[in-house]
Amino acid sequence: MRDTRESRLLLVLLVAIAFALITVDIRGGEESPVDGARRAAATVFGPVENSVASAVDPIGNAVAAVRDSGERHNRIAELERENAALKARLGSDDRNRSRVRELDKLMKRAGAGQYGIKAAEVIAIGAAQGFSWTVTIDVGSADGIKRDMTVINGDGLVGRVTTVGPGTATVLLASDPDFTVGTRMEKTDELGFATGQGDRPLSVQLLNGKAKVKPGDRLVTFGSQADKPFVPGVPVGEVIRVDPSGGDLTRTVFVRPYAGFSRLDIVGVVVQAPRADPRDTVLPPKPTPRPTVTVTATPTPTGTPSAEPGGQPEVE
């Protein structure tokens, strides 16, 4: 269009009409006279927008996935190198061979749950920070450790980080009376809260007072918001006693923890949570029950019964 007086007047007129329609639309609210036209435009252009989005989103998602995968792979590779270095420092004598086995078990547990961990050694125990059940580990803020990170070992849940220094950190053990963690029962998914009781079993309050639970049932961590202080799926322990419900709203069970808090040595701080809840996959395999041999009496040639496996008693 040529820049003439008529074209400029037409442009001004179109702008004025546009402003007038916008004003009418705003004042009209849901009963706007242009609402029908807007719905018609959405009907026409909506499928086009969906087609474009469906074409573009996979590309964006793929790029993000590659980027995230690369970052995650690099971080896990770095952790594996650090853990391998720790394993090499442990040496080869009898005591250190035992520690190497602990580290191997820790790495298998972390691999099952897809946890990114920073391996550490327990270098002190005691109440240096006023807690009665704590340990000090030889990693700190310089190693990427932060407050409220989950701590595990090759058996299960150890505790959570409470204090962090440049090269060390304090871990509050799950056995401490001030320690509480959300739990989930294997298979039934019954939720509860486990509390430490010192050198006694953990006390777990199940939220369902009528929950069916028996000795031998196992629990894992339920997980926390943003995975702090607890990531999900970490083995907690095994039920050894169940209190009668008595019609209460909650039910108390007592759990023997998997981790031995009096003999901690090699632990792992979870510095990277799993992408998805591992649920029960990190629990150790249940022991296979030993077969029982049934012995029955069978007659001997003299008529005297004898005991033989698999035989049937006979009477002459």
Side-chain angles (χ1 to χ4, degrees):
M1 180 183 292
R2 296 178 60 185
D3 186 12
T4 62
R5 178 182 177 84
E6 290 79 6
S7 64
R8 288 196 294 272
L9 288 175
L10 179 60
L11 178 61
V12 171
L13 180 61
L14 291 174
V15 171
I17 293 173
F19 275 109
L21 289 174
I22 292 171
T23 302
V24 171
D25 186 29
I26 293 174
R27 292 182 176 179
E30 296 181 354
E31 299 180 356
S32 169
V34 299
D35 188 55
R38 183 163 49 240
R39 285 198 300 268
T43 301
V44 174
F45 294 108
V48 178
E49 293 172 348
N50 288 335
S51 299
V52 173
S54 62
V56 174
D57 284 349
I59 298 173
N61 293 338
V63 172
V66 170
R67 181 178 62 250
D68 293 344
S69 176
E71 293 174 354
R72 187 176 181 85
H73 176 76
N74 292 339
R75 179 58 177 152
I76 291 176
E78 179 186 351
L79 292 169
E80 288 176 345
R81 287 193 297 270
E82 293 172 351
N83 293 333
L86 173 62
K87 188 174 179 179
R89 291 202 308 270
L90 293 178
S92 59
D93 57 37
D94 289 343
R95 177 174 180 273
N96 286 338
R97 277 197 294 269
S98 174
R99 302 175 80 193
V100 168
R101 286 193 294 269
E102 285 188 41
L103 181 59
D104 285 339
K105 188 162 62 170
L106 169 64
M107 297 302 294
K108 290 177 181 177
R109 193 74 67 205
Q114 293 297 296
Y115 306 126
I117 64 167
K118 176 70 175 179
E121 296 181 66
V122 174
I123 58 175
I125 61 174
Q129 280 73 33
F131 300 113
S132 56
W133 290 81
T134 63
V135 295
T136 302
I137 56 178
D138 65 347
V139 292
S141 57
D143 305 287
I145 306 303
K146 299 178 181 178
R147 179 183 170 87
D148 284 337
M149 283 183 167
T150 309
V151 182
I152 66 175
N153 70 356
D155 297 315
L157 179 68
V158 170
R160 62 180 176 87
V161 176
T162 56
T163 307
V164 182
T168 62
T170 300
V171 178
L172 180 67
L173 301 180
S175 54
D176 189 276
D178 289 334
F179 186 97
T180 301
V181 58
T183 61
R184 183 178 57 77
M185 194 73 67
E186 179 187 17
K187 295 181 180 178
T188 65
D189 290 341
E190 293 288 353
L191 302 182
F193 292 95
T195 303
Q197 296 194 111
D199 56 2
R200 293 181 296 165
L202 304 176
S203 172
V204 179
Q205 292 283 333
L206 297 178
L207 301 183
N208 180 6
K210 298 180 180 179
K212 294 182 179 180
V213 57
K214 63 185 184 302
D217 288 347
R218 306 185 296 178
L219 298 89
V220 298
T221 55
F222 180 67
S224 307
Q225 185 175 7
D227 300 311
K228 288 188 177 182
F230 301 110
V231 294
V234 178
V236 174
E238 182 177 303
V239 175
I240 58 173
R241 182 161 63 88
V242 182
D243 275 1
S245 61
D248 296 334
L249 295 179
T250 61
R251 191 169 196 183
T252 302
V253 300
F254 296 93
V255 172
R256 179 175 58 242
Y258 286 121
F261 302 116
S262 62
R263 55 180 188 275
L264 293 172
D265 192 1
I266 305 298
V267 299
V269 183
V270 180
V271 295
Q272 189 168 23
R275 290 187 179 274
D277 186 348
R279 300 188 68 80
D280 302 334
T281 59
V282 190
L283 282 168
K286 284 191 173 182
T288 303
R290 299 178 63 179
T292 57
V293 178
T294 303
V295 178
T296 56
T298 58
T300 64
T302 60
T304 303
S306 64
E308 293 184 3
Q312 298 294 328
E314 296 180 4
V315 180
E316 294 184 351

PDB file of all heavy atoms in Angstrom, residues 105-134:
ATOM      1  N   LYS A 105      28.763 -53.187  49.583  1.00  0.00           N
ATOM      2  CA  LYS A 105      27.346 -53.352  49.926  1.00  0.00           C
ATOM      3  C   LYS A 105      26.621 -52.011  49.849  1.00  0.00           C
ATOM      4  O   LYS A 105      25.473 -51.935  49.388  1.00  0.00           O
ATOM      5  CB  LYS A 105      27.218 -53.961  51.321  1.00  0.00           C
ATOM      6  CG  LYS A 105      25.795 -54.348  51.691  1.00  0.00           C
ATOM      7  CD  LYS A 105      25.753 -55.331  52.856  1.00  0.00           C
ATOM      8  CE  LYS A 105      26.342 -54.755  54.115  1.00  0.00           C
ATOM      9  NZ  LYS A 105      26.071 -55.628  55.295  1.00  0.00           N
ATOM     10  N   LEU A 106      27.303 -50.954  50.300  1.00  0.00           N
ATOM     11  CA  LEU A 106      26.720 -49.613  50.220  1.00  0.00           C
ATOM     12  C   LEU A 106      26.460 -49.223  48.772  1.00  0.00           C
ATOM     13  O   LEU A 106      25.390 -48.702  48.433  1.00  0.00           O
ATOM     14  CB  LEU A 106      27.653 -48.607  50.883  1.00  0.00           C
ATOM     15  CG  LEU A 106      27.341 -47.120  50.665  1.00  0.00           C
ATOM     16  CD1 LEU A 106      25.994 -46.752  51.291  1.00  0.00           C
ATOM     17  CD2 LEU A 106      28.452 -46.248  51.245  1.00  0.00           C
ATOM     18  N   MET A 107      27.423 -49.486  47.897  1.00  0.00           N
ATOM     19  CA  MET A 107      27.274 -49.110  46.490  1.00  0.00           C
ATOM     20  C   MET A 107      26.145 -49.903  45.829  1.00  0.00           C
ATOM     21  O   MET A 107      25.399 -49.368  45.003  1.00  0.00           O
ATOM     22  CB  MET A 107      28.591 -49.340  45.748  1.00  0.00           C
ATOM     23  CG  MET A 107      29.738 -48.483  46.245  1.00  0.00           C
ATOM     24  SD  MET A 107      29.387 -46.720  46.151  1.00  0.00           S
ATOM     25  CE  MET A 107      29.295 -46.481  44.386  1.00  0.00           C
ATOM     26  N   LYS A 108      25.997 -51.179  46.196  1.00  0.00           N
ATOM     27  CA  LYS A 108      24.900 -51.972  45.631  1.00  0.00           C
ATOM     28  C   LYS A 108      23.550 -51.442  46.102  1.00  0.00           C
ATOM     29  O   LYS A 108      22.589 -51.370  45.332  1.00  0.00           O
ATOM     30  CB  LYS A 108      25.064 -53.437  46.023  1.00  0.00           C
ATOM     31  CG  LYS A 108      26.226 -54.127  45.331  1.00  0.00           C
ATOM     32  CD  LYS A 108      26.393 -55.555  45.807  1.00  0.00           C
ATOM     33  CE  LYS A 108      27.577 -56.224  45.121  1.00  0.00           C
ATOM     34  NZ  LYS A 108      27.802 -57.608  45.614  1.00  0.00           N
ATOM     35  N   ARG A 109      23.471 -51.069  47.390  1.00  0.00           N
ATOM     36  CA  ARG A 109      22.221 -50.528  47.922  1.00  0.00           C
ATOM     37  C   ARG A 109      21.881 -49.213  47.225  1.00  0.00           C
ATOM     38  O   ARG A 109      20.727 -48.971  46.854  1.00  0.00           O
ATOM     39  CB  ARG A 109      22.353 -50.320  49.428  1.00  0.00           C
ATOM     40  CG  ARG A 109      21.037 -50.063  50.140  1.00  0.00           C
ATOM     41  CD  ARG A 109      20.209 -51.314  50.256  1.00  0.00           C
ATOM     42  NE  ARG A 109      20.836 -52.297  51.139  1.00  0.00           N
ATOM     43  CZ  ARG A 109      20.607 -53.597  51.063  1.00  0.00           C
ATOM     44  NH1 ARG A 109      19.784 -54.080  50.172  1.00  0.00           N
ATOM     45  NH2 ARG A 109      21.207 -54.437  51.895  1.00  0.00           N
ATOM     46  N   ALA A 110      22.888 -48.352  47.061  1.00  0.00           N
ATOM     47  CA  ALA A 110      22.660 -47.071  46.390  1.00  0.00           C
ATOM     48  C   ALA A 110      22.279 -47.277  44.928  1.00  0.00           C
ATOM     49  O   ALA A 110      21.423 -46.574  44.389  1.00  0.00           O
ATOM     50  CB  ALA A 110      23.913 -46.196  46.492  1.00  0.00           C
ATOM     51  N   GLY A 111      22.901 -48.261  44.287  1.00  0.00           N
ATOM     52  CA  GLY A 111      22.564 -48.545  42.892  1.00  0.00           C
ATOM     53  C   GLY A 111      21.138 -49.041  42.746  1.00  0.00           C
ATOM     54  O   GLY A 111      20.440 -48.673  41.797  1.00  0.00           O
ATOM     55  N   ALA A 112      20.681 -49.877  43.695  1.00  0.00           N
ATOM     56  CA  ALA A 112      19.314 -50.387  43.627  1.00  0.00           C
ATOM     57  C   ALA A 112      18.294 -49.265  43.740  1.00  0.00           C
ATOM     58  O   ALA A 112      17.242 -49.300  43.103  1.00  0.00           O
ATOM     59  CB  ALA A 112      19.087 -51.421  44.730  1.00  0.00           C
ATOM     60  N   GLY A 113      18.616 -48.253  44.546  1.00  0.00           N
ATOM     61  CA  GLY A 113      17.682 -47.143  44.710  1.00  0.00           C
ATOM     62  C   GLY A 113      17.940 -45.969  43.795  1.00  0.00           C
ATOM     63  O   GLY A 113      17.203 -44.985  43.811  1.00  0.00           O
ATOM     64  N   GLN A 114      19.009 -46.060  42.975  1.00  0.00           N
ATOM     65  CA  GLN A 114      19.408 -44.962  42.089  1.00  0.00           C
ATOM     66  C   GLN A 114      19.712 -43.695  42.885  1.00  0.00           C
ATOM     67  O   GLN A 114      19.349 -42.579  42.485  1.00  0.00           O
ATOM     68  CB  GLN A 114      18.343 -44.696  41.026  1.00  0.00           C
ATOM     69  CG  GLN A 114      18.184 -45.822  40.011  1.00  0.00           C
ATOM     70  CD  GLN A 114      19.442 -46.045  39.187  1.00  0.00           C
ATOM     71  OE1 GLN A 114      19.858 -45.172  38.437  1.00  0.00           O
ATOM     72  NE2 GLN A 114      20.062 -47.201  39.352  1.00  0.00           N
ATOM     73  N   TYR A 115      20.382 -43.872  44.019  1.00  0.00           N
ATOM     74  CA  TYR A 115      20.809 -42.731  44.826  1.00  0.00           C
ATOM     75  C   TYR A 115      22.228 -42.336  44.427  1.00  0.00           C
ATOM     76  O   TYR A 115      23.105 -43.198  44.300  1.00  0.00           O
ATOM     77  CB  TYR A 115      20.825 -43.086  46.322  1.00  0.00           C
ATOM     78  CG  TYR A 115      19.540 -43.640  46.866  1.00  0.00           C
ATOM     79  CD1 TYR A 115      19.508 -44.861  47.541  1.00  0.00           C
ATOM     80  CD2 TYR A 115      18.335 -42.950  46.727  1.00  0.00           C
ATOM     81  CE1 TYR A 115      18.330 -45.377  48.054  1.00  0.00           C
ATOM     82  CE2 TYR A 115      17.157 -43.462  47.230  1.00  0.00           C
ATOM     83  CZ  TYR A 115      17.158 -44.671  47.886  1.00  0.00           C
ATOM     84  OH  TYR A 115      15.983 -45.177  48.385  1.00  0.00           O
ATOM     85  N   GLY A 116      22.441 -41.050  44.251  1.00  0.00           N
ATOM     86  CA  GLY A 116      23.800 -40.546  44.103  1.00  0.00           C
ATOM     87  C   GLY A 116      24.362 -40.288  45.488  1.00  0.00           C
ATOM     88  O   GLY A 116      23.804 -39.490  46.245  1.00  0.00           O
ATOM     89  N   ILE A 117      25.444 -40.988  45.858  1.00  0.00           N
ATOM     90  CA  ILE A 117      25.940 -40.882  47.225  1.00  0.00           C
ATOM     91  C   ILE A 117      27.379 -40.394  47.248  1.00  0.00           C
ATOM     92  O   ILE A 117      28.122 -40.534  46.275  1.00  0.00           O
ATOM     93  CB  ILE A 117      25.857 -42.231  47.970  1.00  0.00           C
ATOM     94  CG1 ILE A 117      26.767 -43.261  47.312  1.00  0.00           C
ATOM     95  CG2 ILE A 117      24.426 -42.729  48.047  1.00  0.00           C
ATOM     96  CD1 ILE A 117      26.971 -44.500  48.160  1.00  0.00           C
ATOM     97  N   LYS A 118      27.746 -39.825  48.382  1.00  0.00           N
ATOM     98  CA  LYS A 118      29.124 -39.472  48.691  1.00  0.00           C
ATOM     99  C   LYS A 118      29.542 -40.359  49.855  1.00  0.00           C
ATOM    100  O   LYS A 118      29.021 -40.240  50.966  1.00  0.00           O
ATOM    101  CB  LYS A 118      29.218 -37.996  49.085  1.00  0.00           C
ATOM    102  CG  LYS A 118      30.611 -37.566  49.529  1.00  0.00           C
ATOM    103  CD  LYS A 118      31.563 -37.539  48.379  1.00  0.00           C
ATOM    104  CE  LYS A 118      32.924 -36.997  48.824  1.00  0.00           C
ATOM    105  NZ  LYS A 118      33.895 -36.990  47.720  1.00  0.00           N
ATOM    106  N   ALA A 119      30.465 -41.303  49.600  1.00  0.00           N
ATOM    107  CA  ALA A 119      30.890 -42.224  50.639  1.00  0.00           C
ATOM    108  C   ALA A 119      31.744 -41.498  51.667  1.00  0.00           C
ATOM    109  O   ALA A 119      32.478 -40.551  51.340  1.00  0.00           O
ATOM    110  CB  ALA A 119      31.662 -43.388  50.028  1.00  0.00           C
ATOM    111  N   ALA A 120      31.649 -41.934  52.920  1.00  0.00           N
ATOM    112  CA  ALA A 120      32.385 -41.286  54.006  1.00  0.00           C
ATOM    113  C   ALA A 120      32.713 -42.312  55.079  1.00  0.00           C
ATOM    114  O   ALA A 120      32.116 -43.397  55.131  1.00  0.00           O
ATOM    115  CB  ALA A 120      31.564 -40.146  54.600  1.00  0.00           C
ATOM    116  N   GLU A 121      33.669 -41.965  55.933  1.00  0.00           N
ATOM    117  CA  GLU A 121      34.032 -42.790  57.071  1.00  0.00           C
ATOM    118  C   GLU A 121      33.556 -42.126  58.360  1.00  0.00           C
ATOM    119  O   GLU A 121      33.609 -40.900  58.493  1.00  0.00           O
ATOM    120  CB  GLU A 121      35.540 -42.980  57.137  1.00  0.00           C
ATOM    121  CG  GLU A 121      36.132 -43.730  55.961  1.00  0.00           C
ATOM    122  CD  GLU A 121      37.629 -43.902  56.109  1.00  0.00           C
ATOM    123  OE1 GLU A 121      38.048 -44.626  57.044  1.00  0.00           O
ATOM    124  OE2 GLU A 121      38.379 -43.304  55.321  1.00  0.00           O
ATOM    125  N   VAL A 122      33.094 -42.933  59.295  1.00  0.00           N
ATOM    126  CA  VAL A 122      32.742 -42.434  60.622  1.00  0.00           C
ATOM    127  C   VAL A 122      34.037 -42.249  61.404  1.00  0.00           C
ATOM    128  O   VAL A 122      34.806 -43.205  61.578  1.00  0.00           O
ATOM    129  CB  VAL A 122      31.798 -43.414  61.341  1.00  0.00           C
ATOM    130  CG1 VAL A 122      31.556 -42.959  62.777  1.00  0.00           C
ATOM    131  CG2 VAL A 122      30.474 -43.523  60.587  1.00  0.00           C
ATOM    132  N   ILE A 123      34.300 -41.032  61.870  1.00  0.00           N
ATOM    133  CA  ILE A 123      35.568 -40.745  62.545  1.00  0.00           C
ATOM    134  C   ILE A 123      35.384 -40.428  64.026  1.00  0.00           C
ATOM    135  O   ILE A 123      36.370 -40.347  64.760  1.00  0.00           O
ATOM    136  CB  ILE A 123      36.298 -39.576  61.854  1.00  0.00           C
ATOM    137  CG1 ILE A 123      35.423 -38.321  61.828  1.00  0.00           C
ATOM    138  CG2 ILE A 123      36.710 -39.979  60.446  1.00  0.00           C
ATOM    139  CD1 ILE A 123      36.128 -37.094  61.261  1.00  0.00           C
ATOM    140  N   ALA A 124      34.146 -40.249  64.483  1.00  0.00           N
ATOM    141  CA  ALA A 124      33.912 -39.973  65.908  1.00  0.00           C
ATOM    142  C   ALA A 124      32.467 -40.264  66.245  1.00  0.00           C
ATOM    143  O   ALA A 124      31.582 -40.231  65.388  1.00  0.00           O
ATOM    144  CB  ALA A 124      34.247 -38.516  66.240  1.00  0.00           C
ATOM    145  N   ILE A 125      32.225 -40.554  67.515  1.00  0.00           N
ATOM    146  CA  ILE A 125      30.872 -40.726  68.021  1.00  0.00           C
ATOM    147  C   ILE A 125      30.721 -39.885  69.271  1.00  0.00           C
ATOM    148  O   ILE A 125      31.710 -39.473  69.883  1.00  0.00           O
ATOM    149  CB  ILE A 125      30.561 -42.205  68.352  1.00  0.00           C
ATOM    150  CG1 ILE A 125      31.521 -42.719  69.438  1.00  0.00           C
ATOM    151  CG2 ILE A 125      30.639 -43.064  67.112  1.00  0.00           C
ATOM    152  CD1 ILE A 125      31.186 -44.106  69.930  1.00  0.00           C
ATOM    153  N   GLY A 126      29.484 -39.603  69.663  1.00  0.00           N
ATOM    154  CA  GLY A 126      29.291 -38.883  70.912  1.00  0.00           C
ATOM    155  C   GLY A 126      28.358 -37.719  70.791  1.00  0.00           C
ATOM    156  O   GLY A 126      27.658 -37.555  69.792  1.00  0.00           O
ATOM    157  N   ALA A 127      28.392 -36.891  71.828  1.00  0.00           N
ATOM    158  CA  ALA A 127      27.422 -35.807  71.978  1.00  0.00           C
ATOM    159  C   ALA A 127      28.087 -34.451  71.839  1.00  0.00           C
ATOM    160  O   ALA A 127      27.816 -33.527  72.592  1.00  0.00           O
ATOM    161  CB  ALA A 127      26.732 -35.910  73.330  1.00  0.00           C
ATOM    162  N   ALA A 128      28.962 -34.314  70.860  1.00  0.00           N
ATOM    163  CA  ALA A 128      29.689 -33.058  70.724  1.00  0.00           C
ATOM    164  C   ALA A 128      28.762 -31.886  70.475  1.00  0.00           C
ATOM    165  O   ALA A 128      29.030 -30.766  70.897  1.00  0.00           O
ATOM    166  CB  ALA A 128      30.704 -33.164  69.577  1.00  0.00           C
ATOM    167  N   GLN A 129      27.649 -32.120  69.773  1.00  0.00           N
ATOM    168  CA  GLN A 129      26.706 -31.040  69.473  1.00  0.00           C
ATOM    169  C   GLN A 129      25.475 -31.105  70.378  1.00  0.00           C
ATOM    170  O   GLN A 129      24.452 -30.501  70.084  1.00  0.00           O
ATOM    171  CB  GLN A 129      26.274 -31.099  68.005  1.00  0.00           C
ATOM    172  CG  GLN A 129      27.284 -30.488  67.041  1.00  0.00           C
ATOM    173  CD  GLN A 129      28.498 -31.374  66.872  1.00  0.00           C
ATOM    174  OE1 GLN A 129      28.388 -32.590  66.920  1.00  0.00           O
ATOM    175  NE2 GLN A 129      29.658 -30.780  66.685  1.00  0.00           N
ATOM    176  N   GLY A 130      25.544 -31.837  71.467  1.00  0.00           N
ATOM    177  CA  GLY A 130      24.429 -31.879  72.396  1.00  0.00           C
ATOM    178  C   GLY A 130      23.469 -33.016  72.155  1.00  0.00           C
ATOM    179  O   GLY A 130      22.505 -33.184  72.887  1.00  0.00           O
ATOM    180  N   PHE A 131      23.675 -33.827  71.115  1.00  0.00           N
ATOM    181  CA  PHE A 131      22.821 -34.976  70.859  1.00  0.00           C
ATOM    182  C   PHE A 131      23.420 -36.205  71.514  1.00  0.00           C
ATOM    183  O   PHE A 131      24.635 -36.319  71.673  1.00  0.00           O
ATOM    184  CB  PHE A 131      22.670 -35.225  69.350  1.00  0.00           C
ATOM    185  CG  PHE A 131      22.067 -34.071  68.606  1.00  0.00           C
ATOM    186  CD1 PHE A 131      22.805 -33.356  67.689  1.00  0.00           C
ATOM    187  CD2 PHE A 131      20.751 -33.689  68.840  1.00  0.00           C
ATOM    188  CE1 PHE A 131      22.253 -32.295  67.006  1.00  0.00           C
ATOM    189  CE2 PHE A 131      20.190 -32.621  68.156  1.00  0.00           C
ATOM    190  CZ  PHE A 131      20.952 -31.915  67.244  1.00  0.00           C
ATOM    191  N   SER A 132      22.583 -37.140  71.878  1.00  0.00           N
ATOM    192  CA  SER A 132      23.080 -38.327  72.551  1.00  0.00           C
ATOM    193  C   SER A 132      23.431 -39.450  71.577  1.00  0.00           C
ATOM    194  O   SER A 132      24.214 -40.330  71.918  1.00  0.00           O
ATOM    195  CB  SER A 132      22.042 -38.835  73.561  1.00  0.00           C
ATOM    196  OG  SER A 132      20.804 -39.071  72.921  1.00  0.00           O
ATOM    197  N   TRP A 133      22.870 -39.446  70.384  1.00  0.00           N
ATOM    198  CA  TRP A 133      23.148 -40.485  69.408  1.00  0.00           C
ATOM    199  C   TRP A 133      23.563 -39.828  68.091  1.00  0.00           C
ATOM    200  O   TRP A 133      22.738 -39.594  67.210  1.00  0.00           O
ATOM    201  CB  TRP A 133      21.929 -41.378  69.195  1.00  0.00           C
ATOM    202  CG  TRP A 133      21.617 -42.248  70.376  1.00  0.00           C
ATOM    203  CD1 TRP A 133      20.954 -41.888  71.512  1.00  0.00           C
ATOM    204  CD2 TRP A 133      21.990 -43.614  70.552  1.00  0.00           C
ATOM    205  NE1 TRP A 133      20.867 -42.934  72.383  1.00  0.00           N
ATOM    206  CE2 TRP A 133      21.495 -44.028  71.826  1.00  0.00           C
ATOM    207  CE3 TRP A 133      22.672 -44.553  69.766  1.00  0.00           C
ATOM    208  CZ2 TRP A 133      21.669 -45.320  72.316  1.00  0.00           C
ATOM    209  CZ3 TRP A 133      22.836 -45.837  70.254  1.00  0.00           C
ATOM    210  CH2 TRP A 133      22.349 -46.201  71.517  1.00  0.00           C
ATOM    211  N   THR A 134      24.848 -39.516  67.971  1.00  0.00           N
ATOM    212  CA  THR A 134      25.374 -38.880  66.769  1.00  0.00           C
ATOM    213  C   THR A 134      26.701 -39.506  66.396  1.00  0.00           C
ATOM    214  O   THR A 134      27.369 -40.143  67.219  1.00  0.00           O
ATOM    215  CB  THR A 134      25.596 -37.365  66.959  1.00  0.00           C
ATOM    216  OG1 THR A 134      26.582 -37.169  67.971  1.00  0.00           O
ATOM    217  CG2 THR A 134      24.315 -36.655  67.319  1.00  0.00           C
TER     218      THR A 134
END
